[in-house]
Structure formats: C-alpha cells, structure tokens
Amino acid sequence: MSLEYTASEMMTVTAARALENGTTCFVGIGLPSEAANLARLTHAPDVVLIYESGTLQTKPNVLPLSIGDGELAETALTTVAVPEMFRYWLQGGKIDVGFLGTAQIDRYCNLNTTLIGDYREPKVRLPGGGGAPEIATNAGEVFITLKHSKRAFVDEVDFVTTLGFGRDGKGRDNVPNIGKGPTRVITDLCVMKPDPDTKELVVVSLHPGVSREDVIDATGWDIRFAEQLATTPVPNENELTILRELKARTERAHAGQ
C-alpha cells in the first residue's frame, strides 16, 4: 500500500536525506530547521546542528521559533558567544553544510531576504540576511530549501542578500578561502543542482507525480532539465511518522499546551 504524503512533507524528507550522518550543519530557521532535525531523528543521529545564536550540537525536542528560542540553549551540548560562533566555527572552516531558506532565488542561486521591489521604495521589507551571507561564504557547501513558485524563483532577485554565484554565475571565480557555495536546491516539486560549468540551476530530480510542465510553470526563467532526469524517492513510513510527531509537538508547545 502506498503512503499518502503532502508536497511539503516530500520536500522536508528529501531535504533531510541530503544531510549525512556526522555532518556539522549550520541551520537556518524555518524549513531548513525542520529538515535538519528530521535528519537527526532518523538516519543521521550524529549530525551536529549549530544555530546562529551560538548553540552547539543542539537537539531540540520541538522546532525553534527563532535562533533565540530557549529550546536551543536548553538542549545544546554547550553555547558560545556569537562572535566566536562566526569567527572560530564558521570562518574557521569547521562547518560542512549551511542549510538556508529564502524569499527569492534566481537561476544562479543568489538569495534575497532583504526586500521586494525597488531598493529606495520597496513593496515589502523582509527580515534581512542575518548570518546567511557569512554561512554561504564560509560553509563547505550550502543546501537551500523553499517552496516552488514564480514569486520565489525569479529571473533576477531584487536584491542579492546572500551570494550564490553572482549575477553572471562567476561571482565565486578566483576567490580564495570560500566554500563551494550552493550545491543543491530542494523544493516541493523537484531537486536542482548548479551546472558545473555555468552554475545555472538544473533540475536533476522530479518528485513523484510532478511533471516538467509543473516546474516550468512555477519558475520565472527558462529552467533547464538534466538529460538523465531522476525521480525522487518517496518518504517512508518512519520518516513521515517522526516528522508528523515533531510538528505536532511543536504546535502544542508553541500553543502553550
């Protein structure tokens, strides 16, 4: 009997599977946190989760509302000052993966979490970069997860908050002491990876039931597809059960129950 799951659950499970056991991961709030903690609770019990507030090897029982959520400090192996977190751990090259979300992303993996519209008269002001620019620069590689729509996947981001590969795909060329940058983007429709030469995002895997046309219609540029296009493996019962229990615990905790 096939399992029933939502597109959001498919995205979270796929993103979680990208994290290998033993990886040191700098985690962003929201979808990246959900995926990283699912990985910790399933196939990667020894993954080391680090949050921007200075919590090392934290094991939250519920998903944090922000980097300042007490749950992160209470369940961490230890905590350090934010300057130490960035200067020693991140800039010191001790982070394998940075796991980020975003409001906008373009074909070269540049991220925008600053504003929508013109810089001088924006339509919407967003929360800003936080630690994402430094994470994208210094982590060994970067995973990005977000829901797929033309609103999010735009031809050019309105503002480059966090560097992917620059406006032309060459923003990391000949730059010393910098990580590989984004290596995969996981959405509720597909998995993408940058082309090795041009750095433009290419769809490498479609989620079950998703067509090429679905991805084309949800993307703000002429998206490319890999010659050997895979089908993403479906979630298993254990992953879905643990994810749903995690989200239920989180909802109860945040509701004060």
Side-chain angles (χ1 to χ4, degrees), residues 180-238:
K180 289 188 285 187
T183 56
R184 70 184 73 192
V185 177
I186 303 113
T187 81
D188 50 347
L189 298 180
C190 63
V191 178
M192 303 175 173
K193 292 184 178 181
D195 180 277
D197 298 319
T198 67
K199 305 304 181 185
E200 183 177 339
L201 281 173
V202 177
V203 178
V204 297
S205 177
L206 292 175
H207 299 338
V210 175
S211 68
R212 291 178 182 237
E213 288 70 26
D214 292 332
V215 177
I216 291 169
D217 291 343
T219 307
W221 68 86
D222 293 332
I223 188 69
R224 295 168 52 201
F225 295 83
E227 291 185 9
Q228 300 296 324
L229 191 59
T231 299
T232 314
V234 299
N236 62 45
E237 184 176 3
N238 183 58

Side-chain angles (χ1 to χ4, degrees), residues 32-41 49 51 58-60 63-64 246:
S33 183
E34 185 175 308
N37 280 284
L38 177 61
R40 178 179 61 82
L41 294 169
L49 302 186
Y51 286 77
T58 185
K59 299 179 179 180
L63 297 173
L246 173 63

Side-chain angles (χ1 to χ4, degrees), residues 2 44 62 127 208 225 252:
S2 60
V62 299
F225 295 83
R252 290 194 299 269

